[in-house]
Amino acid sequence: MHLQSVGDIENLGNKEGVFDHQLFRKSAEIIISKLEKYLADSSTRGLALTNPYDLSQTAKDIMNQGQKNTATYNQEKLEAIIDLYIKTGIQVYSPGYMGRQFSGVIPLAGLIDLMSSIVNQPSSFYEAGPLPNVVERIMADEFNQFIGWAPDSFAMVTTSGGTLGNLTALLVARNEKFPQIWSEGIYALGDKYRPAIAMSEDAHYGVCRATGIMGIGENQIVRLPVNQKRQICIDKVRPTLEAAEKQGLNVFCMVASAGTTSVGAFDAIDELAQIAKDKNIWLHIDGAHGGSLLVCDQLRHKLKGIEKADSFILDAHKMMFLPGVCTLLFYKNKKKSYGAFRQNASYVFEKVPDIYTQFDSAEQNFECTKRPLIMNLWVLWALYGKAIFADQIEYLCQLTQEAYQILKHEPDFQTIHQPEVNILCFRYVPSNLSDNLLSDFQLAIRNRIKEGGNFFISKVEIDGINSLRVVFMNHRINISHFHKLLYEIRKNGLELISET
Amino acid sequence: MHLQSVGDIENLGNKEGVFDHQLFRKSAEIIISKLEKYLADSSTRGLALTNPYDLSQTAKDIMNQGQKNTATYNQEKLEAIIDLYIKTGIQVYSPGYMGRQFSGVIPLAGLIDLMSSIVNQPSSFYEAGPLPNVVERIMADEFNQFIGWAPDSFAMVTTSGGTLGNLTALLVARNEKFPQIWSEGIYALGDKYRPAIAMSEDAHYGVCRATGIMGIGENQIVRLPVNQKRQICIDKVRPTLEAAEKQGLNVFCMVASAGTTSVGAFDAIDELAQIAKDKNIWLHIDGAHGGSLLVCDQLRHKLKGIEKADSFILDAHKMMFLPGVCTLLFYKNKKKSYGAFRQNASYVFEKVPDIYTQFDSAEQNFECTKRPLIMNLWVLWALYGKAIFADQIEYLCQLTQEAYQILKHEPDFQTIHQPEVNILCFRYVPSNLSDNLLSDFQLAIRNRIKEGGNFFISKVEIDGINSLRVVFMNHRINISHFHKLLYEIRKNGLELISET
């Protein structure tokens, strides 16, 4: 790849215009070089948020810089855009970044995303995306090694994000139990037995949204109480469901979590599956965060009973370190997977798919135009196997345990839960802090640390009180970074106290 | 960029593992080179579909080739995967590709997709994606130059695909008219006045799906008849709506199309807006295909009245030549845009957003983790302005008119509609063809042409009879390719007749 002079590039103009392959190479060289440098930077840094009005002005200034004309190509402008894009975002590859459930991705996956953008194979139909559609089946079988369903009895479909995956599964559950809704609408049921969904007190907002979207209504959410570990309290499930029934609710689905957003708690799938079976209700597992533990021999036990769930999702853009988004949605019963967007799934027996259309996923996924989401995952899996995912997940979970042990021995820190995965919530409680300030104090520390620019951590409200929250997500973080974070927490906390 | 030997790469291993920046560069060089070659290939070719079982075996063979180990990097394997991915897909940059509503994208957009994958800025929240969130506002204003709403009175939000954009808008319409549904569910309305949605007979299947998803029921779709141009027949709208009301339906929303999927018909927005206003119903425009005509001075008139619509979408991954997906969802009334996932939009007055969170889009878009979809569009717009989009759209629409004129003068071809955009449907009707074979004959021709491998065209059923369908989507197609296609159609058609 030979980088030519700016003038050379600026005057590039031919009938191919912006589609020119040489222009592609020139732009590629600029972008690859900047990304390479970005990836090489292992410094500890967080995110100093830019004022949005200033940032907007900067973006507008770039737009107005130089003339707009298809025949010209302004390299400086492109470079300014790339620099701004990199600089203003969360530094996801930095060990200072411990804030959220997305991470510095495996860079090759980004390059496969580039491939997917250029070869442009929307993959709801085999015709448009042959390879993505067959490798989706292959990846389904690869994952099933860790689930254990009978071959060809189950289904896996990729979809654009966890919220869409959860909605799709809940639609199958609804249409399965109330097939008349799809055509006739919810009125068909009358007012006596309202369809309802049971879910953990800690369920993700996307799952709650689904009830509003589906016309069931958020009031028909039956909240299952959680225990001290923030898992669904098994003893209270049957009584809660029975109380709901007495109120005229028809609970057709129960949603459990494999890794809650707040603290990363894993519900007891095995025991919930027994209850769901007894009650004849659909069991869906929101494994957006923790479902990926399936690939870890050491940690798979957290998902014990997953093969008994009717459906579950996992976000490969979280714990499999892929770019957003890549959600895998699994169904125990393949036939039922066709029921999300239909009266029921019976039509699959009516039509005669040919060898091509039987690989279509358009009837199973919401999207008409769907990115070939599976390719990022499959290419890495094909090249390296599961080890690159499993090793990093295990490392991050181990690191979280280590951090937890450190906190337990520090009298000025309060632990809130024993971490099950790579999410750790805790509070800084110096002896001279009054109880009524506890919650605001955590928030203030979090904000000061963010502004300091060395670390980026998050906060979460637990039982009405804020706590600090770290998510260990990237390969560069080690325990020394956690020690440094604790130092910063103490320093900022004590400064805050002395300032008041 | 210096490509090292295979052995050199294979033995690359350090503590950064798959995250190593040098490994990134090496993989990038391989992929960029192959894509550059792919982009340079201007030959006329279609798609010879691979048998999925054979393809699956090929993919598995690649997986099993060489040992799986994080310490090794198998360049040959990566190359085999890339070659297979390119080879098996629709050749979207070839002038032989005239089949679907996606195209060879502007390559720089693919590189920006790579950027977005690596810098990883999920953009439902300003904190996680500062630049994407401010440029979304900038692009809203840029488009509004062609719409004409008062500054700050409207909203635009990106979302993951047209189906999701349509669903989101319909949820706003539903929640606006029936605010009790979100919490209480559809039962709250009783059975007497069922919410219903009016839409064209030719509405996209994703819009129909939305009624089933929302619990309204597909039976509550009120079909608006179309005229010979396949536009909603304006004279029949009021009588159809009134008939629906008499049946106890409460039509709260009307969906029109700006470019139907089948033939690219544009409904008369201006006239529909008057009816919607009179009837006090929400008007949503599905402009997935044709909404992009907004940027063309010559063609914008097709969208006359768009400023009167309550909401509309456009897919920039269709007629703005971007990778899938990038859907823009516009609302005339900014406040209402917050009502999709809420009881109503009033909460925005209750909470006090800070300067950062007021740029969040999480309350307006369905996704929690959302790709920074706007970046592909904004970077191109910032570098080149609207001309690169407008010029290509105008060229393709003009070419379609030219092709239509050619067909009109060929006695053995039957035109079905006067094209309004870049979609053209027609039939081959040689004199010795019997009428009862007409439909099957078109399908057989389409399939033979596909198998021939020179062209890729689609088919569509119109009034129960198949027709051939071409979509001119990429910059390399000119009228000579259409002439060659007609030659192939005749040749294959006559062969089919002589074979029977």
Side-chain angles (χ1 to χ4, degrees), chain B residues 78-119:
Chain B
L78 179 61
E79 292 188 344
I81 288 171
I82 297 165
D83 290 342
L84 189 66
Y85 197 10
I86 290 176
K87 191 181 74 178
T88 51
I90 294 176
Q91 303 297 299
V92 287
Y93 290 94
S94 167
Y97 166 65
M98 305 177 183
R100 300 256 174 241
Q101 290 160 282
F102 53 88
S103 71
V105 306
I106 299 172
L108 180 56
L111 291 164
I112 302 303
D113 250 352
L114 162 65
M115 285 276 321
S116 291
S117 293
I118 302 287
V119 301

Side-chain angles (χ1 to χ4, degrees), chain B residues 196-239:
Chain B
I197 299 178
M199 62 182 78
S200 162
E201 281 180 359
D202 277 6
H204 188 266
Y205 79 81
V207 181
C208 306
R209 269 190 180 182
T211 61
I213 291 169
M214 294 195 293
I216 287 171
E218 284 192 336
N219 292 354
Q220 274 67 246
I221 295 175
V222 176
R223 288 290 183 178
L224 301 171
V226 295
N227 61 23
Q228 277 217 310
K229 294 176 173 175
R230 316 249 9 130
Q231 302 159 326
I232 290 173
C233 189
I234 296 296
D235 292 345
K236 292 185 181 160
V237 175
R238 286 179 201 266

Side-chain angles (χ1 to χ4, degrees), chain B residues 125-143:
Chain B
F125 299 92
Y126 180 80
E127 183 183 84
L131 188 60
N133 277 289
V134 303
V135 304
E136 198 154 304
R137 300 279 176 103
I138 291 173
M139 286 310 299
D141 288 334
E142 292 288 313
F143 273 90

Side-chain angles (χ1 to χ4, degrees), chain B residues 443-453 492 495-496 499:
Chain B
L443 187 59
I445 290 175
R446 188 259 170 175
N447 290 342
R448 270 178 85 111
I449 284 175
K450 203 169 74 174
E451 282 154 25
N492 282 284
E495 279 168 15
L496 270 165
E499 282 166 16

Side-chain angles (χ1 to χ4, degrees), chain A residues 68-94:
Chain A
K68 288 174 187 176
N69 189 316
T70 46
T72 66
Y73 172 74
N74 190 327
Q75 180 176 335
E76 283 170 42
K77 206 166 173 171
L78 179 61
E79 290 188 347
I81 288 171
I82 297 166
D83 290 342
L84 188 66
Y85 197 10
I86 289 176
K87 192 182 73 178
T88 51
I90 294 175
Q91 302 297 300
V92 287
Y93 290 94
S94 167

Side-chain angles (χ1 to χ4, degrees), chain A residues 1 16 18-19 21 24-25 27-29 31-33 36 39-40 47 50-53 55 59 63 70 72-73 77 82 85 88-89 92-93 100 102-107 110-111 113-118 120-122 126-127 130-131 134 138 163-164 174 182-187 191 194-195 204-205 209 212-220 323-325 341 355-356 358-359 362 365-366 368-369 371-372 375 378 382 384 388 392 446 450 456 475-476, chain B residues 1 16 18-19 21 24-25 27-29 31-33 36 39-40 47 50-53 55 59 63 70 72-73 77 82 84-85 88-89 93 100 102-107 110-111 113-122 126-127 130-131 134 138 163-164 174 182-187 191 194-195 204-205 209 212-220 323-325 341 355-356 358-359 362 365-366 368-369 371-372 375 378 382 384 388 392 446 450 456 475-476:
Chain A
M1 199 179 268
E16 289 273 305
V18 288
F19 292 91
H21 65 280
F24 168 72
R25 174 163 280 270
S27 318
E29 170 58 27
I31 287 173
I32 299 295
S33 294
E36 188 187 1
L39 289 170
L47 164 74
T50 315
N51 177 303
Y53 298 99
L55 183 55
M63 289 174 80
T70 46
T72 66
Y73 172 74
K77 206 166 173 171
I82 297 166
Y85 197 10
T88 51
V92 287
Y93 290 94
R100 300 256 174 242
F102 53 86
S103 72
V105 305
I106 300 172
L111 292 164
D113 250 351
L114 162 63
M115 284 278 320
S116 291
S117 292
I118 303 285
N120 206 6
Q121 301 185 13
Y126 180 81
E127 182 183 84
L131 187 60
V134 302
I138 290 173
T163 307
L164 199 53
R174 188 197 71 177
W182 189 265
S183 296
E184 296 175 40
I186 287 183
Y187 343 83
D191 193 26
R194 299 187 172 198
H204 188 266
Y205 79 82
R209 269 190 179 182
I213 292 169
M214 294 196 293
I216 287 171
E218 284 192 337
N219 292 354
Q220 275 66 247
V325 293
F341 309 111
I355 62 158
Y356 306 120
Q358 64 178 289
F359 277 80
N365 58 235
F366 176 87
C368 179
T369 303
R371 260 185 97 89
M375 289 302 291
W378 177 68
Y384 299 110
I388 51 164
Q392 181 157 334
R446 188 260 171 176
K450 203 167 75 173
F456 181 85
H475 69 287
R476 284 194 176 122
Chain B
M1 203 177 267
E16 289 273 305
V18 289
F19 292 92
H21 64 280
F24 169 72
R25 175 164 279 271
S27 318
E29 170 58 28
I31 287 173
I32 299 294
S33 295
E36 188 187 2
L39 290 169
L47 164 74
T50 316
N51 177 303
Y53 298 99
L55 183 55
M63 289 174 80
T70 46
T72 66
Y73 173 74
K77 206 165 173 171
I82 297 165
L84 189 66
Y85 197 10
T88 51
Y93 290 94
R100 300 256 174 241
F102 53 88
S103 71
V105 306
I106 299 172
L111 291 164
D113 250 352
L114 162 65
M115 285 276 321
S116 291
S117 293
I118 302 287
V119 301
N120 206 5
Q121 300 183 14
Y126 180 80
E127 183 183 84
L131 188 60
V134 303
I138 291 173
T163 307
L164 199 53
R174 188 197 71 178
W182 189 265
S183 295
E184 294 174 42
I186 287 184
Y187 344 83
D191 193 26
R194 299 189 172 197
H204 188 266
Y205 79 81
R209 269 190 180 182
I213 291 169
M214 294 195 293
I216 287 171
E218 284 192 336
N219 292 354
Q220 274 67 246
V325 293
F341 308 111
I355 61 158
Y356 306 119
Q358 64 179 289
F359 277 79
N365 58 235
F366 176 88
C368 179
T369 303
R371 260 184 98 88
M375 290 302 291
W378 177 68
Y384 299 110
I388 51 164
Q392 182 157 335
R446 188 259 170 175
K450 203 169 74 174
F456 182 85
H475 68 288
R476 284 194 176 123

